[in-house]
Amino acid sequence: MTQHGAKLADQTGAGIIDVDVAIIGAGPAGLTAGYLLTKQGKTVAIIEKDETYVGGISRTVEHEGYRFDIGGHRFFSKSQQVVDLWNEILPDDFIQRPRMSRIYYEGKFYSYPLRAFEALSNLGILRSTACMASYLWRRAFPIKDVRSFEDWTTNQFGEKLYSIFFKTYTEKVWGMPCDEMSADWAAQRIKGLSLMSAVIDGVKRSLGLNKKPNDGMATKTLLETFRYPRLGPGMMWDAARDKILATGKGQVLMGHALDQVAAIGPNDEGFEWSMTATSSAGKAQIRAKDVISSAPMRELSKRLHPLPQSTLQANNLRYRDFLTVALMVKSEDLFPDNWIYIHDERVQVGRVQNFRSWSPEMVPDEDMACVGLEYFCFEGDGLWSSSDEELVELAKREMEVLGLCDPSQVTSGAVVRQEKAYPVYDDEYEANVDAMRIELEEKHPSLHLVGRNGMHRYNNQDHAMMTAMLTVENILAGQRVYDTWCVNEDAEYHEAGDEGAEAVLPNRETHSEASTKPLNEDQVAALTSLRGVPERIAPEQDGELGEDIRKSA
């Protein structure tokens, strides 16, 4: 058990920590809230179940001097408020890095987004001819009843290109067949991209008419460079923790898992909540006026007292899990990319990170390469339940199958598991989230949900931070001044453009008589930093929805 900050009165649980705000989780949302609250003179206590690392999914894990980013985290936001906060917390340790990510298929690299001429050249004359014939056939005879991701993408690219560049990777990531994924997700994620537009873009390149690497892909243009902390994203959140502690107003209790959050008030001393957390050394009790939770909604609902009526709905929320197998290889870098997408059904790995390409300081030995093989899974399945030794051996075998490295050159390996990495958007998730949100807003206005798992939203780091920033404003004002839930799941995210380029959002209807302030453009820019998640095809779609999807295809 590790504790940062003021010493507990009694490690066995007799002591009570009294603070203005108790925070569950030391990820980007929780630490952002803690940092801003302590700056305003508020006292906070943050519990984090990890014994070693803060940062949540944005942490950096260290093994024998090598550093691993859990999934790859570029520091980019259209919100100037978020950028300014990053610079305030970590003013001197950002580096600018080139962005490069490609698709790896049958021993060859393909640009991402796809470049038509390069792709057809790599595939060879026979397969390219088959791909073009398949594409032309679907353009002439499209699938008319477009219901699935497979239907939509096949109409756009033909069966051959769909099977090579979309099917395998998508199914690895989300753990469901493409013919069961809703077509509207495909229309959102791949909107504006088609084989014809890629071919036209390739012609322009060959004639020197397109200078920018991503021209012709305006709907989903990608960054060419990005900022990154020189020792990984965990460096940002280590700094945030240290600044919280330096104020003397905050404590961070590491290795403490949430046990219960009980509504007690307000009692005679003005406390609304009593929270207990368990560590290897015993229990800690925290009393607070407000609670901020970034814990998964499903887990929070089970630990609230009294038990919410919406616990049954919250218990039906599901998650996709994730693990990284890091290999240290006696070799120069195996490829120059930050990461590569693996479109190969012979292996289970979905992506391979090259940590030196994120930052040279992530790899301490110039004669060594360090790569992270990323596997998408469900907690408790065969991958998740495998031992670290089994996973390292699997990663070595798969690198050999892919032709990326000789297993004999691997000197060591390490495994990092990330449970609940991605919220699952099934048929009932939105109703389940709303049931719990509405109940908590009505019964417990001093309990605030923030972050990816706290709100069951597949968001980016800046969205998680902005939900915390607005929540802090609400706590300081003593009322719900800002609505952190006003952005729906269909908000589109583009990793390009100017900061603060989004329109002001209207207020969401709430069950409170008090109206909230409209968000400004900068706040909206962060709150629209959401990523799409596939939904299963509904058992029956009404005619109007089906017609809309068919038109979009």
Side-chain angles (χ1 to χ4, degrees), residues 5-265:
K7 187 175 181 180
L8 286 174
D10 186 339
Q11 295 286 352
T12 64
I16 298 176
I17 304 171
D18 290 336
V19 292
D20 294 312
V21 183
I23 300 175
I24 304 168
L31 289 171
T32 295
Y35 174 73
L36 294 175
L37 285 165
T38 53
K39 276 188 65 178
Q40 295 298 318
K42 297 292 185 181
T43 55
V44 303
I46 305 174
I47 63 167
E48 169 55 51
K49 70 177 182 178
D50 194 299
E51 294 188 353
T52 306
Y53 300 105
V54 296
I57 198 172
S58 297
R59 68 191 182 279
T60 300
V61 174
E62 186 173 356
H63 174 78
E64 298 177 351
Y66 294 84
R67 295 174 183 271
F68 318 136
D69 186 349
I70 313 304
H73 292 83
R74 294 184 298 276
F75 281 69
F76 168 82
S77 178
K78 292 182 183 180
S79 168
Q80 190 61 46
Q81 288 178 260
V82 171
V83 173
D84 288 345
L85 188 57
W86 282 334
N87 291 335
E88 180 179 323
I89 295 173
L90 198 69
D92 303 317
D93 291 290
F94 275 109
I95 55 177
Q96 197 76 21
R97 299 297 296 160
R99 182 199 190 282
M100 186 178 186
S101 58
R102 291 178 293 174
I103 294 168
Y104 187 75
Y105 178 72
E106 292 189 348
K108 293 185 178 180
F109 289 98
Y110 296 76
S111 297
Y112 177 77
L114 287 174
R115 297 179 183 174
F117 288 170
E118 175 194 69
L120 295 174
S121 174
N122 279 351
L123 290 171
I125 185 66
L126 293 179
R127 189 178 287 179
S128 295
T129 301
C131 288
M132 291 304 298
S134 173
Y135 167 74
L136 293 172
W137 175 264
R138 272 295 161 229
R139 299 313 291 177
F141 303 100
I143 299 169
K144 297 189 181 301
D145 183 19
V146 177
R147 302 187 69 240
S148 69
F149 177 94
E150 182 173 288
D151 295 338
W152 194 96
T153 313
T154 297
N155 274 356
Q156 294 292 103
F157 296 93
E159 279 90 345
K160 294 292 185 182
L161 286 174
Y162 155 73
S163 65
I164 294 171
F165 292 114
F166 296 94
K167 183 178 188 296
T168 301
Y169 180 75
T170 303
E171 291 183 348
K172 284 181 183 179
V173 173
W174 297 110
M176 71 173 85
C178 286
D179 60 4
E180 294 181 13
M181 297 180 190
S182 175
D184 57 358
W185 180 68
Q188 178 191 355
R189 294 300 295 161
I190 318 175
K191 183 170 62 178
L193 174 59
S194 68
L195 182 60
M196 188 55 66
S197 65
V199 168
I200 293 172
D201 181 55
V203 171
K204 288 182 178 180
R205 288 180 198 284
S206 65
L207 296 176
L209 300 178
N210 261 1
K211 300 297 184 182
K212 295 182 180 180
N214 287 312
D215 277 359
M217 312 300 292
T219 58
K220 295 291 178 186
T221 301
L222 299 173
L223 296 168
E224 298 306 318
T225 64
F226 60 91
R227 293 200 309 159
Y228 192 75
R230 60 183 181 81
L231 295 179
M235 191 180 194
M236 167 68 66
W237 303 114
D238 286 346
R241 175 203 60 206
D242 293 345
K243 289 179 182 293
I244 290 169
L245 301 179
T247 65
K249 299 285 186 179
Q251 303 180 47
V252 181
L253 280 63
M254 302 298 292
H256 280 73
L258 177 64
D259 184 29
Q260 185 183 75
V261 185
I264 60 170

Side-chain angles (χ1 to χ4, degrees), residues 104 166-178 181 320-321 341-351 374-378 383 398 402 422:
Y104 187 75
F166 296 94
K167 183 178 188 296
T168 301
Y169 180 75
T170 303
E171 291 183 348
K172 284 181 183 179
V173 173
W174 297 110
M176 71 173 85
C178 286
M181 297 180 190
R320 185 76 165 145
D321 306 290
Y341 301 96
I342 306 300
H343 289 236
D344 193 322
E345 59 186 12
R346 297 174 300 167
V347 295
Q348 297 182 71
V349 63
R351 290 186 309 212
E374 298 179 348
Y375 294 89
F376 305 92
C377 53
F378 290 109
L383 271 174
E398 294 201 340
L402 293 169
Y422 309 108

Side-chain angles (χ1 to χ4, degrees), residues 362-430:
M362 302 279 277
V363 182
D365 190 336
E366 293 183 357
D367 297 324
M368 299 290 291
C370 183
V371 294
L373 285 77
E374 298 179 348
Y375 294 89
F376 305 92
C377 53
F378 290 109
E379 188 175 357
D381 69 11
L383 271 174
W384 185 269
S385 301
S386 298
S387 68
D388 288 3
E389 293 75 15
E390 290 170 333
L391 289 168
V392 169
E393 289 304 313
L394 172 66
K396 290 163 64 176
R397 289 196 304 271
E398 294 201 340
M399 288 292 279
E400 183 178 28
V401 169
L402 293 169
L404 287 173
C405 87
D406 180 350
S408 66
Q409 298 301 303
V410 176
T411 61
S412 64
V415 176
V416 181
R417 289 172 171 81
Q418 178 60 51
E419 62 181 19
K420 298 177 176 62
Y422 309 108
V424 169
Y425 288 8
D426 55 24
D427 296 342
E428 299 177 347
Y429 91 93
E430 194 167 9

